[in-house]
Amino acid sequence: TKKIGAIPATLVNDFTRDGFVCPITVISEKDAKDYRRQLEEAEAVFGLRDEFRRGLRRYPNLLLPFVDEITRRREITNIIAELLGPNLLVLDVPFFIKEPRTKTFVSWHQDLHYWGLETEEEVTAWLALSPATIASGCMRFLSGSHYQRANHHDTFDTDNLLTRGQELLVDIDERNATEAELSIGQMSIHHGRVFHASHPNNTDERRIGIAIRYIPTHARQIPGSDMAAMLVRGEDRHGNFRLCQRPSGVMKEKDIQFWSDVAGARNKVMMDR
């Protein structure tokens, strides 16, 4: 078993070549299960609230303290800092949850196509809070594809977990895809331009992952954007994003008001691209 939080010796070379690295063990199974417990306790109490359901897919770190805690864990940020430097913002932290035996999937796409950033410097850490296997619909990557810029079209498929059902207008040879299987507490990291997708969950267990979108503090937004980000490591001397405030508790009303404003600004950028 690899040491928790150990930085892979070939991290930078592998990430530069492939656009992704996996698996990397970053938290213990015990901690991962505790985070899942906190998620499911919140689901039991707030699951019927629209703000909660939408909040799981947009800035849950503003509503759930344990999500904010995950984004700051040194075992994760130490690895991201090797690629982006010591001063880190989190742009968003969406959950990607596939219920057992459901049709939900993620189409082949590139993240940065829609995000309203001027920079290509972005790394997503995808953390498994349950096993992510081929059967349960783990992430799939196309090695080296982060050097391409491809056109997309919107499908708005209701089974697609992406905001617009966005899909690459490129023929993908599925035989070349890498299946990024993860155990509980492991993560993959990927570049915002790498082609990636995932199949439905064909198992009897939930597949729960959380995608932490890291950018360096010197990253800039496209003109006219008003997005916010959370400073999670180092300092921000640039002021290119509104800085988020940490949640005061689980689904507190004052936090929900702030979340609504921040999420609305990001949704506008995502839908206008």
Side-chain angles (χ1 to χ4, degrees):
T1 304
K2 292 185 178 180
K3 181 182 176 183
I4 292 174
I7 298 174
T10 58
L11 175 76
V12 176
N13 286 340
D14 291 350
F15 190 82
T16 301
R17 181 190 66 229
D18 297 327
F20 66 91
V21 179
C22 69
I24 307 171
T25 302
V26 285
I27 64 175
S28 67
E29 183 174 334
K30 177 179 178 294
D31 283 358
K33 287 182 175 178
D34 184 62
Y35 288 136
R36 175 174 177 170
R37 175 191 60 78
Q38 291 184 68
L39 166 66
E40 293 182 333
E41 286 180 355
E43 286 177 321
V45 176
F46 302 103
L48 296 179
R49 287 193 62 168
D50 181 60
E51 297 97 333
F52 179 79
R53 293 197 304 271
R54 289 189 291 123
L56 291 184
R57 297 288 290 125
R58 183 73 75 231
Y59 294 104
N61 57 322
L62 305 185
L63 302 174
L64 303 171
F66 82 88
V67 178
D68 179 63
E69 177 183 312
I70 290 172
T71 68
R72 298 170 186 274
R73 289 191 64 134
R74 301 295 283 192
E75 304 96 323
I76 297 174
T77 64
N78 284 346
I79 290 168
I80 304 302
E82 291 290 310
L83 299 167
L84 297 180
N87 301 309
L88 298 174
L89 298 170
V90 164
L91 184 61
D92 204 351
V93 200
F95 278 95
F96 285 87
I97 300 173
K98 295 179 181 175
E99 300 298 343
R101 304 287 176 184
T102 51
K103 296 179 180 179
T104 54
F105 70 100
V106 175
S107 53
W108 285 104
H109 69 288
Q110 293 177 298
D111 294 330
L112 289 179
H113 188 78
Y114 288 89
W115 284 5
L117 299 177
E118 289 188 344
T119 183
E120 297 278 307
E121 293 180 90
E122 184 276 336
V123 177
T124 292
W126 199 100
L127 177 67
L129 299 186
S130 69
T133 64
I134 293 174
S136 68
C138 65
M139 291 256 280
R140 313 174 73 226
F141 298 112
L142 195 65
S143 178
S145 55
H146 57 307
Y147 290 108
Q148 301 180 49
R149 287 189 175 219
N151 291 324
H152 294 61
H153 73 119
D154 299 337
T155 68
F156 294 101
D157 187 326
T158 54
D159 289 327
N160 196 326
L161 288 176
L162 298 179
T163 311
R164 305 155 58 143
Q166 52 263 41
E167 189 173 61
L168 284 167
L169 287 170
V170 175
D171 290 329
I172 303 292
D173 187 341
E174 300 281 345
R175 296 171 299 179
N176 293 331
T178 297
E179 306 282 356
E181 291 193 292
L182 301 172
S183 299
I184 298 173
Q186 290 185 323
M187 73 175 183
S188 62
I189 59 173
H190 70 269
H191 188 282
R193 285 282 176 195
V194 77
F195 295 2
H196 58 291
S198 66
H199 288 311
N201 179 5
N202 293 313
T203 73
D204 294 323
E205 301 294 331
R206 303 181 86 191
R207 195 221 65 172
I208 305 172
I210 185 168
I212 312 169
R213 319 296 199 182
Y214 289 101
I215 55 177
T217 55
H218 61 256
R220 300 182 65 88
Q221 309 181 50
I222 58 170
S225 304
D226 189 29
M227 289 188 293
M230 182 77 82
L231 181 67
V232 296
R233 178 178 172 129
E235 57 185 345
D236 179 13
R237 296 181 178 178
H238 301 276
N240 294 328
F241 290 81
R242 289 190 287 158
L243 291 184
C244 293
Q245 59 198 35
R246 300 179 72 167
S248 57
V250 177
M251 291 293 292
K252 297 299 184 182
E253 288 305 318
K254 70 173 185 177
D255 295 333
I256 292 172
Q257 292 176 20
F258 179 71
W259 165 84
S260 180
D261 175 55
V262 168
R266 180 153 165 78
N267 286 339
K268 184 176 187 303
V269 169
M270 293 282 287
M271 299 307 292
D272 284 350
R273 297 293 286 159

